[in-house]
Amino acid sequence: MERTFVLLPSSQTGPRKCSNKYELILVSPRNYFLYTPLLPAVATGTIEQRSIVEPVRKIMRNKGKYYEAICQDIDPKNKNIVACFPKDTGLEEACFRIPYDILVVAVGSINNTFGCPGVEENTFFFKSITDANKLRRQVSECFERASLPELERAERQKLLSFVVVGGGPTGVEVAAELHDMIDEDLSRLYPELIQDVRIRIIELQDHLLSTYDRAISNYTAKTFKRAGIEAMVNSKVQEVRRGAVIVKLPDGSTQEVPFGACVWSTGVAIHPLMKQLQERLPEGTQTNFRSILTDGYLRAEGSNGSIFAVGDASSIAQPRAMQMAGELFTEADINKDGKLQLSELRMMLNKASSQYSHFAEHARFLDGKYGVYRWGNMVKGAVESANRLNPVARKQQPGTGIMAELNENSELTEEQFVDLLKKIDNGLRALPATAQVAKQQGEFVAHLMHKHRVRPGEVLPKDAKAFKYSHKGSLAYVGKDRAVMDVPGVSPLTGYGAGLLWRGFETYSQISFRNLFLVSVDWVRTKAFGRDISRV
């Protein structure tokens, strides 16, 4: 798996310069840094892959050592790791052990299939350069195959059907870039095929870009509708077969959606290495099933300050709502009937989010008709769990004890509410799993180690400030040189102006000046000469 793993063993010397304060070792199976926000553009040839990668050794020069290897094991007790040279290189595997004083893990997350059958076998994930290249080749192959003579119309329509699962920023940008490539380039090369092309985006919520301002979601929906991109909202993927997605529609019926290529861009899950680390740390210190639980300084709970975790691999510990369960239930039970309807639950979550910030995410997910599925059936599971332990409650709710279909009138007893809070607390993520968060956390850890001589087990100086995330805003490209921007304190920005700002930001944010120059050239090249659709 292409993830980055950072190791920082301290040296015995103590000059003030950070490069002399620590001996730095970086371990990663990928020998380059990747600017992931432009992966959708790479998948369609708008940007070339070499333009958004920078060699690790070039950045690490004169700063420390780099080993191209995959971390297979972390031993927090003896403070060492086991790393192995990647098997996919075609060379013999070589494993070695490295001791550490301080470990920084930034391995990210893996794709979450939510237990949906057929996802891994029949869809394209979208987290790496390899994923982007696979999609680019598949689209090219679909058009070439569809252009062959004596092909039945149904087969041609299937080949030219492209499905994106997930209506978040990645899914929206993949759909938008696909449309641009087909509309601006492939329509000239395959004019006889364009009438059979369909792009669909499937989203569980009742609107795209659900974490953005609602005005932005509405603008995106209108833009996609004008472009001919079909948004299947309030729809849940039940199964992915070879060449077809089985979708549950809002009315409860199912539909088989054929495809030539399907992109799975929804949800992340804990990295296996982090799951292993949780089991190695003292019992009771790691209660979050999504990622490594850290303190405000991003130090893993139970590691005695020797392990830092950043990005998708970490979650900062928050106040536990379980401690106030009884008080929250009493306050939320407006009609005092001893039960909470989902409408009352949503009001409680919104109100309590000022104290328990992670509640806001769950309240927002309850807004949509099928938003409860975003909890991973958490509400349903809470009822099931409580009813299994309480036969009386099960008898009182015949047929609905497991709440097969949740709606505004569905009710939770106090026992079920307590179980639900426990699940939310254990699964909370204080910050979104975005590159913006990971970047700020990485810079925080670097600054902390540069300013203070961090030693495991030692109390940090009083002037050491805990990590505080500063949200700069959210952007997404929606096609035809248009973009959307959700910036704090500013009205939502949409259209061509936002498109220029988006393009400028993504260019300026490149890893190096070399990347900035190459990306700029790619934007101009694509406009002047079109995309290269060659399958090489």
Side-chain angles (χ1 to χ4, degrees):
M1 296 176 186
E2 295 184 321
R3 302 290 183 269
T4 303
F5 182 87
V6 182
L7 176 66
L8 290 170
S10 63
S11 68
Q12 300 302 313
T13 57
R16 293 303 301 167
K17 289 186 179 180
C18 187
S19 58
N20 295 325
K21 190 182 294 185
Y22 304 98
E23 177 188 0
L24 174 64
I25 300 176
L26 173 64
V27 179
S28 170
R30 199 172 60 189
N31 67 358
Y32 56 86
F33 288 101
L34 171 66
Y35 186 75
T36 56
L38 286 182
L39 274 180
V42 170
T44 57
T46 305
I47 301 293
E48 290 301 323
Q49 65 177 37
R50 292 287 178 182
S51 300
I52 62 169
V53 299
E54 186 72 5
V56 166
R57 290 192 178 277
K58 188 174 181 181
I59 296 176
M60 289 291 292
R61 187 172 49 199
N62 301 324
K63 295 183 177 69
K65 298 177 182 178
Y66 165 67
Y67 299 128
E68 182 178 335
I70 301 174
C71 179
Q72 303 280 25
D73 184 76
I74 300 175
D75 184 351
K77 183 178 180 180
N78 297 310
K79 300 177 71 172
N80 61 62
I81 70 166
V82 174
C84 299
F85 190 71
K87 293 180 180 179
D88 59 8
T89 60
L91 300 176
E92 291 185 7
E93 184 180 47
C95 295
F96 51 95
R97 192 178 298 273
I98 308 176
Y100 68 82
D101 292 320
I102 299 174
L103 187 67
V104 181
V105 290
V107 297
S109 55
I110 62 173
N111 296 289
N112 193 345
T113 65
F114 302 100
C116 183
V119 172
E120 292 190 10
E121 298 86 355
N122 302 308
T123 68
F124 294 96
F125 292 128
F126 210 78
K127 291 177 73 72
S128 68
I129 279 288
T130 302
D131 295 334
N133 286 335
K134 285 180 179 178
L135 178 60
R136 184 174 179 177
R137 285 194 297 269
Q138 181 71 8
V139 172
S140 176
E141 289 170 354
C142 284
F143 270 85
E144 292 296 351
R145 180 74 173 83
S147 67
L148 297 180
E150 300 182 8
L151 191 68
E152 293 184 2
R153 177 86 185 273
E155 180 64 18
R156 181 180 295 111
Q157 290 176 332
K158 175 184 174 181
L159 288 167
L160 300 178
S161 172
F162 303 102
V163 174
V164 179
V165 180
T170 301
V172 165
E173 291 190 345
V174 169
E177 290 283 1
L178 276 174
H179 175 268
D180 282 2
M181 178 179 68
I182 293 169
D183 184 64
E184 297 171 5
D185 298 285
L186 299 182
S187 61
R188 302 173 186 174
L189 303 174
Y190 307 92
E192 73 284 359
L193 300 181
I194 298 306
Q195 61 179 340
D196 292 324
V197 173
R198 296 182 73 175
I199 300 175
R200 298 179 180 93
I201 183 167
I202 302 172
E203 167 59 24
L204 196 60
Q205 281 277 50
D206 61 1
H207 54 288
L208 303 176
L209 297 177
S210 59
T211 59
Y212 289 54
D213 187 282
R214 191 58 184 253
I216 285 179
S217 298
N218 293 338
Y219 174 83
T220 303
K222 291 178 182 177
T223 301
F224 275 16
K225 187 175 182 179
R226 285 197 300 267
I229 300 173
E230 303 172 40
M232 300 177 65
V233 296
N234 280 334
S235 300
K236 181 184 180 183
V237 175
Q238 292 188 321
E239 181 185 358
V240 182
R241 300 172 184 169
R242 182 171 181 177
V245 177
I246 309 302
V247 183
K248 183 179 180 181
L249 302 176
D251 61 5
S253 62
T254 58
Q255 177 183 342
E256 182 173 301
V257 180
F259 64 78
C262 178
V263 178
W264 187 270
S265 62
T266 177
V268 294
I270 187 171
H271 194 286
L273 184 64
M274 295 299 92
K275 189 68 175 175
Q276 178 200 84
L277 178 59
Q278 285 184 331
E279 296 170 355
R280 297 279 182 87
L281 292 171
E283 186 177 356
T285 59
Q286 291 295 324
T287 57
N288 193 304
F289 65 81
R290 289 186 176 182
S291 49
I292 291 292
L293 196 63
T294 72
D295 63 10
Y297 298 94
L298 306 181
R299 298 175 298 188
E301 299 283 9
S303 70
N304 197 29
S306 64
I307 300 177
F308 287 77
V310 300
D312 293 4
S314 69
S315 287
I316 300 174
Q318 298 291 304
R320 312 292 287 185
M322 270 292 294
Q323 300 169 1
M324 301 288 290
E327 184 177 328
L328 288 171
F329 185 88
T330 301
E331 185 177 348
D333 187 12
I334 299 174
N335 56 11
K336 305 304 177 185
D337 61 352
K339 298 178 181 178
L340 285 188
Q341 293 184 342
L342 287 193
S343 56
E344 293 175 318
L345 177 61
R346 182 171 57 241
M347 290 174 61
M348 182 279 294
L349 291 172
N350 276 317
K351 187 175 181 180
S353 62
S354 59
Q355 183 177 2
Y356 308 104
S357 59
H358 53 293
F359 277 8
E361 176 184 1
H362 297 288
R364 184 177 67 252
F365 287 148
L366 272 179
D367 285 340
K369 180 178 179 182
Y370 287 89
V372 288
Y373 283 121
R374 281 287 215 183
W375 297 32
N377 284 326
M378 195 177 288
V379 177
K380 188 175 173 182
V383 177
E384 273 189 7
S385 176
N387 283 355
R388 279 197 300 269
L389 298 175
N390 188 349
V392 176
R394 185 166 61 245
K395 291 178 180 178
Q396 290 174 346
Q397 296 179 329
T400 61
I402 60 171
M403 294 174 76
E405 293 295 335
L406 295 169
N407 56 58
E408 288 291 302
N409 297 319
S410 298
E411 296 178 331
L412 292 174
T413 65
E414 183 170 0
E415 184 181 5
Q416 293 162 348
F417 174 73
V418 169
D419 191 56
L420 174 63
L421 286 192
K422 182 179 179 181
K423 290 178 182 292
I424 292 177
D425 273 348
N426 289 344
L428 69 88
R429 183 186 291 276
L431 298 171
T434 63
Q436 185 177 171
V437 172
K439 182 176 185 292
Q440 290 186 30
Q441 289 182 335
E443 290 172 344
F444 169 82
V445 172
H447 176 76
L448 186 70
M449 292 185 176
H450 178 77
K451 187 175 182 180
H452 308 285
R453 185 162 183 82
V454 178
R455 293 181 183 273
E458 292 186 1
V459 178
L460 290 172
K462 292 183 178 180
D463 62 338
K465 296 180 180 180
F467 174 75
K468 186 176 181 180
Y469 173 61
S470 175
H471 184 59
K472 308 298 184 184
S474 302
L475 306 90
Y477 180 66
V478 296
K480 303 299 290 183
D481 296 327
R482 298 182 180 93
V484 294
M485 302 180 69
D486 192 1
V487 182
V490 180
S491 299
L493 302 176
T494 60
Y496 291 109
L500 287 172
L501 291 173
W502 169 82
R503 190 158 292 176
F505 176 81
E506 299 295 13
T507 303
Y508 178 76
S509 301
Q510 290 302 307
I511 303 165
S512 67
F513 178 77
R514 166 186 163 275
N515 295 124
L516 187 153
F517 175 78
L518 292 175
V519 168
S520 300
V521 171
D522 284 345
W523 293 128
V524 176
R525 171 189 54 77
T526 298
K527 282 297 179 185
F529 304 108
R531 299 164 179 82
D532 182 0
I533 66 161
S534 304
R535 181 170 60 86
V536 295

